[in-house]
């Protein structure tokens, strides 16, 4: 499938894809396909593979490449971003090259733990960019809750000024609304490029972030059609309607973004919606109790009632 | 004001009170009174003072005591819990004794950073309980996001079994729903006391936590009447209505629980609602930009529209 | 006692004083005096009070002031630096003013946990300096192992350029040798002040740090005469002799700098040397087992044999 | 090469081998051989590969296997332990199996970040042991400074009681002397196995740890002959002589154990001693300045003078 390279104009919803396993823990190729189809059916504009949510750290190198190749082949030309973070720069380069050769649109790199100070962050990415060269588009994954590395807006600006292959910020600091606004204001400086900003944190602040200048979402919420519909409504200038729709789903957005248990919830929903054949995670992973399932039943039933009452049955359910 | 000591039967909403300052940064005694009245008007069942949200660490010892004394005097007999966490045990004792002499119903103690392993946690609290003696009721504040100290359910059970002055768990781990259920199940063991559990995390999972056996909330949400109404509805067996009401406020619950900026938002709301004369925090603290204020305007307006549409104007607004 | 204010020319050994308690845990005023005399007998050039090693966080405000006043009164004019770190800036100001009124030469301030990025550090200290005004000399305590806050050399330089009350760096990053060299090289820039740098980390890299431009040590090693003698030998240009002497003590320097147990070891040595009447720490604190004591016996006996063999009995032992 | 499996009787020095690269960053097979010979010439009793010091995280899976295979082939029958830590349990199993098939004597597993409480640690290792089965000997790597996971002695004992494949503790907590003593005392309980304990932390407390019951060292000090000679002296009952010898090297032990810069120092020493052809690390890594090199020159010259004066020229230098 031909897909162009990622650039600063990237917009919309890049779903962070779960990685499906069989009940025995093997990579489930069939479910990779059905999940890709599910996401396409939800209208996503692109994919992000091998992120933290994708259990990338539990895959072998071969399995990782299998996932990437398989999704790209089935993505109907949608752009695919592949996570290439690694503690060693040689491995970042290798992962990035493998992904690009397989047809990825770009790679996403988070900083390794232990970088010190603004210069530590700048210098690490300068090394990454030199190593990868100008032809591989890169997404900066700003997720300090896990990496422990703070990205100052001024550092991001220096990187944008100095390396044109930096085309997107995956925005996931918390609190992060002020940073998003600050980056957008900094871009008004003559000569500075405006980069794409997609937001994470499970979408918890999605409407606020769109108002502040985000270009869409990159997260793994298990009702991706909401992410798409909210994006479309914002694109159509209907921000109030967008937020109304978002708020209908907010109880589940909040529920899924719980650390650690969140992935179990998302895989369970994807399983219930028929997108994958098993909700299993590879160990060590979280799992759901009977209480957790009943709670999810209740939240889901509430969502469906509210969607129906609002005249907004989910696109999927309607099929 | 006479108020009994805190015990295992404690229920309802113990609001975590903000500490009001003047624009110049002095303790604002007038606003302490008006804020106390505001909370009482919202129907809170009790107060928690000198928690992290109360900027306790920015007060002098004298100021802390002033806050405690002043709120207790005006609390119309509602129970007041006072934070007594400190790196040194002598200071925990001193703070606890001062609070109890001033009329507190009990004290809340979080573990100091650096405790190691299950025994490290047990032994620290065993020391605290011995130091305080059996007559001072204690709340265990379980907030590992800040303390870095994990409380295993089995450790909590050992403490409950061994020290009857431990009467409440302030439940704020994340994810924490499973822990809450686990503690409630452990209490079914013959001979074990059932303690009170009040929940925090800004109330983000309040309905789910009530379903799982919580006795109420201890948090600082700036529309405390919601916390009270949800509690009352659960108490009346109307859990679905309770969750409907909660969901109306959820966009603001989520907005306020952002780390770091959350307190600025709460003080701004309390200021707008007339409860305090200035939203100022002592430095170092967060503050709001024009964008932040406009965003809050929008979220608040949406809340009011939704409450009106639901026939549920806020108790305060109705006065 | 008259002592001038601290300035950039400060040199020598500023001993971090332990805080002595009775076996019952009360502040031991008698031992404060005898310990001060002990340190003076070791030849220290100054004192640092209420640091982390001084169990400052276990004292009440009144006790802290008692310690400061008592040591200053007995310090025979030696300069005394007082720790004034606190989570709230109002309290930093209060502690600093109290210390200066009591006769301190300056105050030491560590950054609070949670500062973000280079600007976060700069802005915090800019606030501190504005709050304290130009007349209170300040030591920047750079101890990221505990604070989690990294000080970039360029940030330190901006602070030195902008605030003349910043007169000393307490150097305790790890690894930190490169930073020390970097700061000294940066000072060659025309117009930049050269500040005093005293080193910590229990003195573990003291000779290397003196070679790289340190002006002395600020640490709590329980044989302070070594710190003084090494300083004197360096001042006399005898760096090789200085390192020979240091190496004799290195087994104990290394032993005492163990996290957590280190203070118990230091207080035990001070107790054995007659400087304080009890090695007790306030709880929560570490304590020594019989095995720990026997090990310390052995290490101390080895030290004494080596000092004797080198013709360098400790100044104290010789009295 | 035939080497038996690792068991509880393991003793002596298991050197943590550096991984040599060419100046261009490629794996240097020639230097793997020469380094292995160097270590054998120092008298080491075994090897540990792919630890943190071995830059394992910067290797590809193929390179890792190359290192393992190459060292085992050249190790003259000495036992080789291979690091098999990974965030995903599938990968732990795969790495362990590959290592054992290649001829390793056992594998070393550190806990992943984020385990919670005593049960979290126990349950993770119980999973690991079940996954690996009873035939793969396992070393528990206890290095909380990096993993953030505390191992309580009682948890270690439960694991030793329940899983006989757990044969060794790599002891590297800090402070850790008390834990070592505590584990040895716990082993006196009838029926409990005594496991091997090898110590790390760069050897900083090696004599004290041998006195407390350690069976040797597992660390990467660049003068491994000292580690061996100290072990031999302890084995011969000459503990005082052992400590005398250790103290001669202590300035360099201390120098090398500096976080982050330590590996650059070790590789430089190995390079200077002719063990490897380049001191290069893969990026991101530390490197030495001219000042760092001059400092190392000075420390090394001092060591040589002291060894000569003590009549103890290094075994290597004497060849």
């Amino acid at each position: 499938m031909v897909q162009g390279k990622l650039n600063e104009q990237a917009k919309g919803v890049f779903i962070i894809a779960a990685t499906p396993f069989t009940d025995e823990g093997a990579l489930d190729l069939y479910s990779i396909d059905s999940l890709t189809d599910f996401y396409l059916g939800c209208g996503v504009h692109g994919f992000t593979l091998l992120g933290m949510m994708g259990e990338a750290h539990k895959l072998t190198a071969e399995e990782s490449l299998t996932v990437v190749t398989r999704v790209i082949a089935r993505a109907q030309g949608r752009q695919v971003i592949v996570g290439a973070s690694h503690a060693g720069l040689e491995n970042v380069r290798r992962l990035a090259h493998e992904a690009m050769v397989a047809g990825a649109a770009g790679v996403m790199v988070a900083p390794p733990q232990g970088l010190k100070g603004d210069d530590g962050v700048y210098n690490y990415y300068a090394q990454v960019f030199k190593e990868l060269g100008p032809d591989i588009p890169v997404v900066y994954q700003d997720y300090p809750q896990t990496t422990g590395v703070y990205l100052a807006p001024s550092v991001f600006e220096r990187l944008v000024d100095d390396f044109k292959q930096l085309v997107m910020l995956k925005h996931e600091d918390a609190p992060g609304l002020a940073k998003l606004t600050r980056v957008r204001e900094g871009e008004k400086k003559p000569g500075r490029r405006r980069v794409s900003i997609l937001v994470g944190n499970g979408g918890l602040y999605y409407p606020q972030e769109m108002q502040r200048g985000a270009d869409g979402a990159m997260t793994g919420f298990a009702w991706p059609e909401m992410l798409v519909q909210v994006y479309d409504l914002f694109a159509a200038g209907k921000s109030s309607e967008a937020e109304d729709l978002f708020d209908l789903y907010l109880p589940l957005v909040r529920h899924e973004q719980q650390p650690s248990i969140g992935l179990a919830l998302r895989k369970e929903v994807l399983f219930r919606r028929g997108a994958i054949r098993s909700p299993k995670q590879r160990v060590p992973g979280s799992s759901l109790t009977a209480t957790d399932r009943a709670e999810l039943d209740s939240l889901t039933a509430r969502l469906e009632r509210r969607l129906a009452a609002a005249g907004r049955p989910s696109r999927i359910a309607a099929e």
Side-chain angles (χ1 to χ4, degrees), chain A:
Chain A
M1 275 286 147
V2 175
Q3 55 172 0
K5 282 194 188 168
L6 196 72
N7 64 26
E8 297 87 346
Q9 276 73 48
K11 286 182 198 309
V13 175
F14 279 66
I15 193 77
I16 301 188
T19 300
F21 299 103
T22 66
D23 284 339
E24 293 72 35
L27 201 57
D28 180 356
L29 301 183
Y30 176 89
S31 287
I32 291 178
D33 290 348
S34 59
L35 180 61
T36 304
D37 294 346
F38 169 82
Y39 287 140
L40 290 170
C42 292
V44 302
H45 306 87
F47 292 82
T48 301
L49 304 179
L50 307 184
M52 298 176 193
M53 181 195 146
E55 301 178 70
H57 54 291
K58 302 181 194 166
L59 301 178
T60 65
E62 294 72 27
E63 289 172 330
S64 298
L65 203 51
T66 299
V67 170
V68 169
T69 308
R70 192 119 187 159
V71 173
I72 289 175
R74 200 158 182 111
Q76 300 184 3
R78 301 296 197 293
Q79 290 189 317
V80 175
I81 298 170
V82 177
S85 306
H86 201 280
L89 209 49
E90 299 278 325
N91 278 335
V92 174
R93 185 178 56 185
R94 183 178 54 76
L95 293 168
H97 284 177
E98 287 176 1
M100 296 306 290
V101 166
V107 299
M108 183 161 73
V109 179
Q113 295 185 346
L115 297 183
K116 287 183 180 175
D118 286 2
D119 286 344
V121 177
Y122 178 88
N123 292 336
Y124 176 75
Y125 276 91
Q127 279 185 309
V128 167
F129 292 131
K130 272 175 212 156
E131 197 73 27
L132 297 187
D135 296 330
I136 300 182
V138 177
V139 180
Y140 188 118
Q141 184 176 19
D142 184 26
Y143 191 38
Q145 296 89 319
T146 289
T147 62
V149 175
Y150 174 72
L151 171 67
S154 61
V155 171
F156 186 69
E157 289 171 348
R158 285 168 60 198
L159 290 169
V160 169
D161 288 347
D162 295 352
F163 300 97
K164 65 178 187 181
Q165 60 265 58
L166 174 53
V167 297
M168 185 187 285
L169 176 64
K170 164 74 186 291
H171 169 72
E172 201 157 18
D173 197 353
L177 297 178
K179 187 191 280 189
L180 204 169
T181 297
R182 168 69 185 73
V183 169
R184 283 295 180 234
E185 282 175 6
E187 287 171 343
K188 293 174 185 164
K189 184 185 153 193
R192 176 163 297 140
R193 284 182 300 140
R194 184 192 188 280
V195 298
S196 174
I197 302 181
L198 300 188
V199 301
N201 283 320
L204 198 60
Y205 308 103
Y206 188 23
Q208 285 69 41
E209 290 165 323
M210 291 301 289
Q211 294 278 16
R212 285 168 180 260
D215 297 306
M218 184 191 287
T219 188
F221 186 53
W223 283 267
E225 64 270 34
M226 179 277 279
L227 299 174
V228 173
Q229 291 164 8
V230 166
Y231 173 78
D232 289 342
L233 287 167
F234 266 105
K238 300 179 180 175
S239 61
S240 181
E241 264 192 59
E243 194 160 358
D244 289 343
L245 179 64
F246 173 85
D247 284 352
L248 294 178
Y249 286 88
L250 181 51
L252 279 150
V253 168
R254 164 213 58 165
H255 198 63
E256 278 192 10
Q257 62 82 50
Q258 292 180 80
S260 150
I261 192 74
L263 180 56
L265 291 166
R266 284 183 177 165
K267 284 195 141 181
E268 176 70 17
V269 173
L270 292 172
F271 169 67
R272 293 181 178 190
R273 299 187 74 184
I276 56 178
R277 293 190 299 185
S278 165
K280 184 174 169 69
Q281 291 174 56
R282 281 193 170 167
V283 282
S286 51
S287 59
L288 302 183
T289 63
T291 305
D292 295 332
R293 285 171 210 279
E295 188 175 68
L296 183 59
D297 292 341
S298 165
L299 284 164
T300 307
R302 289 178 55 83
L303 172 65
E304 286 169 4
R305 283 200 301 275
R306 283 152 59 129
L307 289 174
R312 280 210 165 267
S314 96
R315 186 186 300 188
I316 294 298
E319 283 167 3

